[in-house]
Amino acid sequence: MELKRTKLAVARERAVLVGASTEEAALAGESLDEIRRLAETAGAQVVGTLTQHRSAADPATRIGRGKVEELAALCRELQADLIIMDVDLSPGQVRNIEKATDRKVVDRTEMILDIFAQGARTSEAGDQVELAQLEYAFPRLKRMWTHLGRIEGGIGMRGPGERQLETDRRLIRKRIQALKGRIRANLERRAREVEARAEEVTVCLVGYTNAGKSTLMNALTGAGVKAEDKLFSTLDTRTRVCGLGEGRRILLSDTVGFIRHLPHHLVASFRATLEEARHADLLLHVVDASAPSAEHQMDAVMEVLRELQCAEHSILSVYNKMDLVADESHLPLLRRKFGDGVALSARTGRGLDDLRARIRDFLDRNSLTVTLEFPASDGRIPAYVAEHGETLSADYTDTHGRLRVRMPPRCLGVVRKLGAKVSRLRPPAETDLLRRE
Ligand SMILES: Nc1nc2c(ncn2[C@@H]2O[C@H](COP(=O)(O)OP(=O)(O)OP(=O)(O)O)[C@@H](O)[C@H]2O)c(=O)[nH]1
Ligand SMILES: [Mg+2]
């Protein structure tokens, strides 16, 4: 039995977008633009849109019976094969709308999972997407098995879906277990990599998708990471040495972008990829300052950071794409809410020196929390710490000493030379999805 994600033939499916947001109208409008970009990224041809603002969602169809009839008529008129909803639906709601319209329905999460499935280039990213798809698709599989049996492939049917028409749920559970095992192994490998770089200061770029993280990574390190005007062009993490001038350097990581209402399953299964961000000493929160929705994008990123238990990290806001900003009147508001940060253009290079200076400044002002292990008989290390740092806890056995200390990054090299093993790992985060059963 073959349960692997199938290669996709990008069908140029004719799609109708449905905005069914109950959020305030302005935000809903932005969100519909975004779902249009998502739909196009997934390979759909958007032929029409329909919006519905309801204060309360209809439990049976989400958008209400009258609207579903209107939708069915619109699909017939435009010869659309696919309906893309800007919100997430319960399996029952999907079933009801599909029955009433005789069209395939894809919700927001399925759409995002689909884009991730198409973009996954590494086996790690592939495993993570597949797990998220299976976890999300699992309760929805039944409908794929029955009335949609005639549809082959296409958006929302990539990955788990086609092959499972004849597949036993027990096998899917087994597959989920296998994927979790591989992802857990990746997580452990990444943790070891982070550990091995204990003496380096690590900085991670985070931010909304398409904010310019990879472009900034390239501008700072000459890394040659792929940067495109496309949502979710980066799905893995790259780490490079980044010179800051004055002989200083850090390790800089670029990682996967976030989006509003990022599917929870995806955040959980991308834990390994996002491990770099969890252990970073400093996060650079990159935002497209020219986007009308910059503030909402930053809110959405902060929400995901909270989910990753990163909200307490030191964060420096990077207001990017300043070359596109004609009117700077919205900047003070962003700065009040998300900190002064640095305004720059990763494309033109304006402001990059400022950013380097701010990171150097951060290194000068901030101590790092580390664990030092050394022979108990060696008094030089506690003495050095007493002079240059602060001891948070001490723990001695007959042979070994272990200190949890805060000290400036430049001191780490010295304590290593004195023979201490320096480690930087934070305690592992609990994730429901990857917890051993
Ligand atoms: N005008 C302008 N465009 C920029 C700037 N920075 C990035 N871009 C463009 O914005 C688009 C997205 O850039 P990326 O660097 O791929 O964005 P990202 O944040 O890595 O996106 P994902 O990996 O998809 O999350 C590309 O077309 C870039 O050329 C900038 O400072 N000015
Ligand atoms: Mg990128």
Side-chain angles (χ1 to χ4, degrees), residues 113-127:
L113 290 173
D114 204 79
I115 293 170
F116 271 64
Q118 287 184 62
R121 298 270 173 273
T122 60
S123 64
E124 182 178 24
D127 284 352

Side-chain angles (χ1 to χ4, degrees), residues 131 135 177 180 184 264-265 268-269 271 307 309 429-437:
L131 176 62
E135 294 263 354
Q177 287 313 316
K180 284 186 179 177
R184 220 181 283 122
H264 175 74
H265 289 303
S269 69
R271 236 350 185 320
E307 196 169 343
Q309 295 153 337
E430 268 297 303
T431 104
D432 291 347
L433 196 63
L434 296 179
R435 197 183 297 147
R436 262 171 235 276
E437 264 125 55

